[in-house]
PDB file of all heavy atoms in Angstrom:
ATOM      1  N   GLN A   1      31.297  43.845 236.059  1.00 91.00           N
ATOM      2  CA  GLN A   1      32.323  43.539 237.119  1.00 91.00           C
ATOM      3  C   GLN A   1      31.609  43.500 238.490  1.00 91.00           C
ATOM      4  O   GLN A   1      32.136  42.747 239.455  1.00 91.00           O
ATOM      5  CB  GLN A   1      33.497  44.619 237.088  1.00 91.00           C
ATOM      6  CG  GLN A   1      34.255  44.385 235.869  1.00 91.00           C
ATOM      7  CD  GLN A   1      35.492  45.274 235.812  1.00 91.00           C
ATOM      8  OE1 GLN A   1      35.844  46.203 236.667  1.00 91.00           O
ATOM      9  NE2 GLN A   1      36.387  44.992 234.898  1.00 91.00           N
ATOM     10  N   ALA A   2      30.592  44.278 238.774  1.00 92.00           N
ATOM     11  CA  ALA A   2      29.911  44.193 240.027  1.00 92.00           C
ATOM     12  C   ALA A   2      29.299  42.838 240.241  1.00 92.00           C
ATOM     13  O   ALA A   2      29.301  42.236 241.249  1.00 92.00           O
ATOM     14  CB  ALA A   2      28.771  45.267 240.134  1.00 92.00           C
ATOM     15  N   GLU A   3      28.792  42.236 239.058  1.00 93.00           N
ATOM     16  CA  GLU A   3      28.214  40.964 239.121  1.00 93.00           C
ATOM     17  C   GLU A   3      29.315  39.948 239.314  1.00 93.00           C
ATOM     18  O   GLU A   3      29.125  38.964 240.162  1.00 93.00           O
ATOM     19  CB  GLU A   3      27.453  40.696 237.794  1.00 93.00           C
ATOM     20  CG  GLU A   3      26.797  39.263 237.850  1.00 93.00           C
ATOM     21  CD  GLU A   3      26.014  39.001 236.523  1.00 93.00           C
ATOM     22  OE1 GLU A   3      26.417  39.634 235.469  1.00 93.00           O
ATOM     23  OE2 GLU A   3      25.006  38.228 236.565  1.00 93.00           O
ATOM     24  N   TYR A   4      30.375  40.072 238.618  1.00 92.00           N
ATOM     25  CA  TYR A   4      31.492  39.206 238.705  1.00 92.00           C
ATOM     26  C   TYR A   4      32.041  39.040 240.144  1.00 92.00           C
ATOM     27  O   TYR A   4      32.411  38.125 240.702  1.00 92.00           O
ATOM     28  CB  TYR A   4      32.531  39.495 237.706  1.00 92.00           C
ATOM     29  CG  TYR A   4      33.803  38.623 237.765  1.00 92.00           C
ATOM     30  CD1 TYR A   4      33.757  37.210 237.678  1.00 92.00           C
ATOM     31  CD2 TYR A   4      35.107  39.193 237.805  1.00 92.00           C
ATOM     32  CE1 TYR A   4      34.782  36.382 237.719  1.00 92.00           C
ATOM     33  CE2 TYR A   4      36.204  38.424 237.808  1.00 92.00           C
ATOM     34  CZ  TYR A   4      36.111  36.993 237.756  1.00 92.00           C
ATOM     35  OH  TYR A   4      37.203  36.148 237.775  1.00 92.00           O
ATOM     36  N   ALA A   5      32.172  40.330 240.738  1.00 91.00           N
ATOM     37  CA  ALA A   5      32.750  40.309 242.051  1.00 91.00           C
ATOM     38  C   ALA A   5      31.832  39.572 243.078  1.00 91.00           C
ATOM     39  O   ALA A   5      32.340  38.962 244.022  1.00 91.00           O
ATOM     40  CB  ALA A   5      32.773  41.850 242.624  1.00 91.00           C
ATOM     41  N   ALA A   6      30.531  39.805 242.939  1.00 93.00           N
ATOM     42  CA  ALA A   6      29.658  39.024 243.812  1.00 93.00           C
ATOM     43  C   ALA A   6      29.735  37.483 243.579  1.00 93.00           C
ATOM     44  O   ALA A   6      29.599  36.769 244.543  1.00 93.00           O
ATOM     45  CB  ALA A   6      28.190  39.557 243.522  1.00 93.00           C
ATOM     46  N   GLU A   7      29.895  37.215 242.320  1.00 93.00           N
ATOM     47  CA  GLU A   7      30.028  35.751 241.966  1.00 93.00           C
ATOM     48  C   GLU A   7      31.238  35.153 242.631  1.00 93.00           C
ATOM     49  O   GLU A   7      31.337  33.939 243.069  1.00 93.00           O
ATOM     50  CB  GLU A   7      29.986  35.568 240.583  1.00 93.00           C
ATOM     51  CG  GLU A   7      28.582  35.797 239.929  1.00 93.00           C
ATOM     52  CD  GLU A   7      28.543  35.642 238.432  1.00 93.00           C
ATOM     53  OE1 GLU A   7      29.687  35.779 237.775  1.00 93.00           O
ATOM     54  OE2 GLU A   7      27.483  35.678 237.758  1.00 93.00           O
ATOM     55  N   LEU A   8      32.311  35.866 242.594  1.00 91.00           N
ATOM     56  CA  LEU A   8      33.643  35.412 243.188  1.00 91.00           C
ATOM     57  C   LEU A   8      33.472  35.005 244.641  1.00 91.00           C
ATOM     58  O   LEU A   8      34.140  34.228 245.044  1.00 91.00           O
ATOM     59  CB  LEU A   8      34.771  36.469 242.907  1.00 91.00           C
ATOM     60  CG  LEU A   8      35.343  36.640 241.643  1.00 91.00           C
ATOM     61  CD1 LEU A   8      36.399  37.765 241.599  1.00 91.00           C
ATOM     62  CD2 LEU A   8      36.044  35.318 241.235  1.00 91.00           C
ATOM     63  N   VAL A   9      32.675  35.763 245.307  1.00 90.00           N
ATOM     64  CA  VAL A   9      32.522  35.518 246.788  1.00 90.00           C
ATOM     65  C   VAL A   9      31.407  34.495 247.044  1.00 90.00           C
ATOM     66  O   VAL A   9      31.068  34.138 248.163  1.00 90.00           O
ATOM     67  CB  VAL A   9      32.254  36.905 247.574  1.00 90.00           C
ATOM     68  CG1 VAL A   9      32.219  36.784 249.040  1.00 90.00           C
ATOM     69  CG2 VAL A   9      33.216  37.947 247.180  1.00 90.00           C
ATOM     70  N   LYS A  10      30.925  34.041 245.899  1.00 93.00           N
ATOM     71  CA  LYS A  10      29.784  33.092 245.933  1.00 93.00           C
ATOM     72  C   LYS A  10      28.543  33.524 246.587  1.00 93.00           C
ATOM     73  O   LYS A  10      27.956  32.841 247.359  1.00 93.00           O
ATOM     74  CB  LYS A  10      30.311  31.690 246.537  1.00 93.00           C
ATOM     75  CG  LYS A  10      31.466  31.138 245.870  1.00 93.00           C
ATOM     76  CD  LYS A  10      31.842  29.815 246.402  1.00 93.00           C
ATOM     77  CE  LYS A  10      33.083  29.227 245.732  1.00 93.00           C
ATOM     78  NZ  LYS A  10      33.027  29.231 244.291  1.00 93.00           N
ATOM     79  N   ARG A  11      28.232  34.783 246.312  1.00 94.00           N
ATOM     80  CA  ARG A  11      26.953  35.324 246.824  1.00 94.00           C
ATOM     81  C   ARG A  11      25.737  34.655 246.157  1.00 94.00           C
ATOM     82  O   ARG A  11      25.828  34.366 244.900  1.00 94.00           O
ATOM     83  CB  ARG A  11      26.825  36.854 246.542  1.00 94.00           C
ATOM     84  CG  ARG A  11      27.805  37.690 247.231  1.00 94.00           C
ATOM     85  CD  ARG A  11      27.744  37.674 248.680  1.00 94.00           C
ATOM     86  NE  ARG A  11      28.783  38.534 249.264  1.00 94.00           N
ATOM     87  CZ  ARG A  11      28.976  38.737 250.540  1.00 94.00           C
ATOM     88  NH1 ARG A  11      28.337  37.953 251.464  1.00 94.00           N
ATOM     89  NH2 ARG A  11      29.852  39.534 251.001  1.00 94.00           N
ATOM     90  N   LYS A  12      24.782  34.391 246.833  1.00 94.00           N
ATOM     91  CA  LYS A  12      23.479  33.884 246.211  1.00 94.00           C
ATOM     92  C   LYS A  12      22.960  34.927 245.349  1.00 94.00           C
ATOM     93  O   LYS A  12      22.961  36.112 245.560  1.00 94.00           O
ATOM     94  CB  LYS A  12      22.448  33.441 247.229  1.00 94.00           C
ATOM     95  CG  LYS A  12      22.972  32.279 248.067  1.00 94.00           C
ATOM     96  CD  LYS A  12      21.994  31.963 249.088  1.00 94.00           C
ATOM     97  CE  LYS A  12      22.425  30.718 249.969  1.00 94.00           C
ATOM     98  NZ  LYS A  12      21.480  30.351 251.063  1.00 94.00           N
ATOM     99  N   LYS A  13      22.225  34.535 244.209  1.00 90.00           N
ATOM    100  CA  LYS A  13      21.554  35.430 243.248  1.00 90.00           C
ATOM    101  C   LYS A  13      20.506  36.092 244.130  1.00 90.00           C
ATOM    102  O   LYS A  13      19.777  35.515 244.881  1.00 90.00           O
ATOM    103  CB  LYS A  13      21.005  34.661 242.110  1.00 90.00           C
ATOM    104  CG  LYS A  13      21.937  34.297 241.058  1.00 90.00           C
ATOM    105  CD  LYS A  13      22.512  35.525 240.301  1.00 90.00           C
ATOM    106  CE  LYS A  13      23.448  35.083 239.254  1.00 90.00           C
ATOM    107  NZ  LYS A  13      24.089  36.289 238.560  1.00 90.00           N
ATOM    108  N   GLY A  14      20.314  37.362 244.000  1.00 90.00           N
ATOM    109  CA  GLY A  14      19.369  38.124 244.677  1.00 90.00           C
ATOM    110  C   GLY A  14      19.910  38.754 245.893  1.00 90.00           C
ATOM    111  O   GLY A  14      19.222  39.501 246.588  1.00 90.00           O
ATOM    112  N   SER A  15      21.273  38.443 246.255  1.00 94.00           N
ATOM    113  CA  SER A  15      21.897  39.129 247.368  1.00 94.00           C
ATOM    114  C   SER A  15      21.933  40.739 247.224  1.00 94.00           C
ATOM    115  O   SER A  15      22.095  41.067 246.029  1.00 94.00           O
ATOM    116  CB  SER A  15      23.130  38.410 247.686  1.00 94.00           C
ATOM    117  OG  SER A  15      23.038  37.055 247.962  1.00 94.00           O
ATOM    118  N   PRO A  16      22.064  41.433 248.218  1.00 94.00           N
ATOM    119  CA  PRO A  16      22.165  42.872 247.953  1.00 94.00           C
ATOM    120  C   PRO A  16      23.285  43.272 247.084  1.00 94.00           C
ATOM    121  O   PRO A  16      23.113  44.388 246.433  1.00 94.00           O
ATOM    122  CB  PRO A  16      22.366  43.394 249.437  1.00 94.00           C
ATOM    123  CG  PRO A  16      21.677  42.375 250.351  1.00 94.00           C
ATOM    124  CD  PRO A  16      21.909  41.082 249.651  1.00 94.00           C
ATOM    125  N   GLN A  17      24.388  42.568 247.156  1.00 94.00           N
ATOM    126  CA  GLN A  17      25.637  42.915 246.297  1.00 94.00           C
ATOM    127  C   GLN A  17      25.334  42.988 244.858  1.00 94.00           C
ATOM    128  O   GLN A  17      25.981  43.762 244.142  1.00 94.00           O
ATOM    129  CB  GLN A  17      26.729  42.015 246.627  1.00 94.00           C
ATOM    130  CG  GLN A  17      27.353  42.115 247.980  1.00 94.00           C
ATOM    131  CD  GLN A  17      26.573  41.531 249.023  1.00 94.00           C
ATOM    132  OE1 GLN A  17      25.565  40.714 248.853  1.00 94.00           O
ATOM    133  NE2 GLN A  17      26.855  41.641 250.401  1.00 94.00           N
ATOM    134  N   TYR A  18      24.281  42.247 244.430  1.00 96.00           N
ATOM    135  CA  TYR A  18      23.985  42.204 242.958  1.00 96.00           C
ATOM    136  C   TYR A  18      23.295  43.458 242.624  1.00 96.00           C
ATOM    137  O   TYR A  18      23.140  43.789 241.433  1.00 96.00           O
ATOM    138  CB  TYR A  18      23.120  40.990 242.556  1.00 96.00           C
ATOM    139  CG  TYR A  18      23.918  39.702 242.551  1.00 96.00           C
ATOM    140  CD1 TYR A  18      24.013  38.753 243.648  1.00 96.00           C
ATOM    141  CD2 TYR A  18      24.701  39.311 241.434  1.00 96.00           C
ATOM    142  CE1 TYR A  18      24.757  37.670 243.572  1.00 96.00           C
ATOM    143  CE2 TYR A  18      25.289  38.258 241.363  1.00 96.00           C
ATOM    144  CZ  TYR A  18      25.423  37.366 242.401  1.00 96.00           C
ATOM    145  OH  TYR A  18      26.153  36.211 242.299  1.00 96.00           O
ATOM    146  N   ALA A  19      22.718  44.244 243.546  1.00 96.00           N
ATOM    147  CA  ALA A  19      21.998  45.391 243.268  1.00 96.00           C
ATOM    148  C   ALA A  19      22.896  46.515 242.590  1.00 96.00           C
ATOM    149  O   ALA A  19      22.449  47.343 241.736  1.00 96.00           O
ATOM    150  CB  ALA A  19      21.343  46.037 244.489  1.00 96.00           C
ATOM    151  N   ALA A  20      24.153  46.350 242.891  1.00 94.00           N
ATOM    152  CA  ALA A  20      25.225  47.327 242.204  1.00 94.00           C
ATOM    153  C   ALA A  20      25.250  47.075 240.722  1.00 94.00           C
ATOM    154  O   ALA A  20      25.340  48.011 239.954  1.00 94.00           O
ATOM    155  CB  ALA A  20      26.556  47.133 242.822  1.00 94.00           C
ATOM    156  N   SER A  21      25.174  45.784 240.365  1.00 95.00           N
ATOM    157  CA  SER A  21      25.222  45.488 238.945  1.00 95.00           C
ATOM    158  C   SER A  21      23.913  45.936 238.150  1.00 95.00           C
ATOM    159  O   SER A  21      23.800  46.528 237.083  1.00 95.00           O
ATOM    160  CB  SER A  21      25.341  43.897 238.725  1.00 95.00           C
ATOM    161  OG  SER A  21      25.203  43.547 237.387  1.00 95.00           O
ATOM    162  N   TYR A  22      22.658  45.720 238.879  1.00 97.00           N
ATOM    163  CA  TYR A  22      21.371  46.051 238.195  1.00 97.00           C
ATOM    164  C   TYR A  22      21.306  47.597 238.060  1.00 97.00           C
ATOM    165  O   TYR A  22      20.871  48.099 237.098  1.00 97.00           O
ATOM    166  CB  TYR A  22      20.294  45.605 239.214  1.00 97.00           C
ATOM    167  CG  TYR A  22      20.241  44.149 239.524  1.00 97.00           C
ATOM    168  CD1 TYR A  22      19.957  43.658 240.799  1.00 97.00           C
ATOM    169  CD2 TYR A  22      20.482  43.198 238.494  1.00 97.00           C
ATOM    170  CE1 TYR A  22      19.911  42.261 241.044  1.00 97.00           C
ATOM    171  CE2 TYR A  22      20.521  41.877 238.716  1.00 97.00           C
ATOM    172  CZ  TYR A  22      20.213  41.391 240.065  1.00 97.00           C
ATOM    173  OH  TYR A  22      20.140  40.101 240.327  1.00 97.00           O
ATOM    174  N   ALA A  23      21.891  48.386 239.057  1.00 96.00           N
ATOM    175  CA  ALA A  23      21.878  49.816 239.065  1.00 96.00           C
ATOM    176  C   ALA A  23      22.830  50.207 237.784  1.00 96.00           C
ATOM    177  O   ALA A  23      22.415  51.211 237.023  1.00 96.00           O
ATOM    178  CB  ALA A  23      22.287  50.388 240.293  1.00 96.00           C
ATOM    179  N   ALA A  24      23.963  49.758 237.708  1.00 96.00           N
ATOM    180  CA  ALA A  24      24.872  50.210 236.512  1.00 96.00           C
ATOM    181  C   ALA A  24      24.318  49.804 235.297  1.00 96.00           C
ATOM    182  O   ALA A  24      24.438  50.574 234.302  1.00 96.00           O
ATOM    183  CB  ALA A  24      26.341  49.543 236.830  1.00 96.00           C
ATOM    184  N   SER A  25      23.704  48.671 235.183  1.00 96.00           N
ATOM    185  CA  SER A  25      23.048  48.177 233.902  1.00 96.00           C
ATOM    186  C   SER A  25      21.938  49.114 233.503  1.00 96.00           C
ATOM    187  O   SER A  25      21.744  49.381 232.349  1.00 96.00           O
ATOM    188  CB  SER A  25      22.530  46.786 234.035  1.00 96.00           C
ATOM    189  OG  SER A  25      21.922  46.355 232.964  1.00 96.00           O
ATOM    190  N   ALA A  26      21.179  49.649 234.454  1.00 97.00           N
ATOM    191  CA  ALA A  26      20.104  50.514 234.206  1.00 97.00           C
ATOM    192  C   ALA A  26      20.667  51.919 233.524  1.00 97.00           C
ATOM    193  O   ALA A  26      20.028  52.385 232.671  1.00 97.00           O
ATOM    194  CB  ALA A  26      19.321  50.953 235.400  1.00 97.00           C
ATOM    195  N   ALA A  27      21.807  52.344 234.041  1.00 97.00           N
ATOM    196  CA  ALA A  27      22.408  53.507 233.520  1.00 97.00           C
ATOM    197  C   ALA A  27      22.869  53.243 232.042  1.00 97.00           C
ATOM    198  O   ALA A  27      22.679  54.017 231.099  1.00 97.00           O
ATOM    199  CB  ALA A  27      23.577  53.943 234.287  1.00 97.00           C
ATOM    200  N   GLU A  28      23.447  52.084 231.865  1.00 97.00           N
ATOM    201  CA  GLU A  28      23.888  51.722 230.458  1.00 97.00           C
ATOM    202  C   GLU A  28      22.707  51.622 229.440  1.00 97.00           C
ATOM    203  O   GLU A  28      22.794  52.121 228.334  1.00 97.00           O
ATOM    204  CB  GLU A  28      24.630  50.424 230.469  1.00 97.00           C
ATOM    205  CG  GLU A  28      25.105  49.928 229.194  1.00 97.00           C
ATOM    206  CD  GLU A  28      25.680  48.515 229.134  1.00 97.00           C
ATOM    207  OE1 GLU A  28      25.218  47.777 230.009  1.00 97.00           O
ATOM    208  OE2 GLU A  28      26.295  48.115 228.177  1.00 97.00           O
ATOM    209  N   LEU A  29      21.680  51.124 229.970  1.00 96.00           N
ATOM    210  CA  LEU A  29      20.460  51.017 229.066  1.00 96.00           C
ATOM    211  C   LEU A  29      19.886  52.291 228.779  1.00 96.00           C
ATOM    212  O   LEU A  29      19.448  52.606 227.598  1.00 96.00           O
ATOM    213  CB  LEU A  29      19.480  50.082 229.737  1.00 96.00           C
ATOM    214  CG  LEU A  29      19.737  48.601 229.752  1.00 96.00           C
ATOM    215  CD1 LEU A  29      18.821  47.842 230.773  1.00 96.00           C
ATOM    216  CD2 LEU A  29      19.478  48.060 228.328  1.00 96.00           C
ATOM    217  N   ALA A  30      19.868  53.245 229.718  1.00 97.00           N
ATOM    218  CA  ALA A  30      19.310  54.592 229.411  1.00 97.00           C
ATOM    219  C   ALA A  30      20.204  55.338 228.388  1.00 97.00           C
ATOM    220  O   ALA A  30      19.530  55.862 227.461  1.00 97.00           O
ATOM    221  CB  ALA A  30      19.290  55.365 230.760  1.00 97.00           C
ATOM    222  N   ALA A  31      21.512  55.167 228.404  1.00 96.00           N
ATOM    223  CA  ALA A  31      22.325  55.827 227.491  1.00 96.00           C
ATOM    224  C   ALA A  31      22.237  55.038 226.119  1.00 96.00           C
ATOM    225  O   ALA A  31      22.101  55.746 224.944  1.00 96.00           O
ATOM    226  CB  ALA A  31      23.801  55.650 227.918  1.00 96.00           C
ATOM    227  N   THR A  32      22.047  53.709 226.032  1.00 96.00           N
ATOM    228  CA  THR A  32      21.900  52.993 224.795  1.00 96.00           C
ATOM    229  C   THR A  32      20.547  53.433 224.159  1.00 96.00           C
ATOM    230  O   THR A  32      20.576  53.705 222.975  1.00 96.00           O
ATOM    231  CB  THR A  32      21.782  51.427 225.115  1.00 96.00           C
ATOM    232  OG1 THR A  32      23.072  51.075 225.752  1.00 96.00           O
ATOM    233  CG2 THR A  32      21.555  50.671 223.797  1.00 96.00           C
TER     234      THR A  32
END
C-alpha cells in the first residue's frame, strides 16, 4: 500500500516516498 500510494500521486520510481515500501518489505522478509 505504501508503493500504491506513491504510484497514485505519480511519484517517480526512486522517490523518497517509495522508501516506506522498501522498509516494510524488509520486515516482511525477515519474518518470512
Side-chain angles (χ1 to χ4, degrees):
Q1 292 191 350
E3 181 178 28
Y4 180 50
E7 289 173 347
L8 280 177
V9 187
K10 302 187 184 304
R11 300 290 183 188
K12 294 179 181 179
K13 285 291 186 180
S15 298
Q17 290 78 8
Y18 285 96
S21 177
Y22 303 139
S25 178
E28 180 191 17
L29 284 164
T32 301

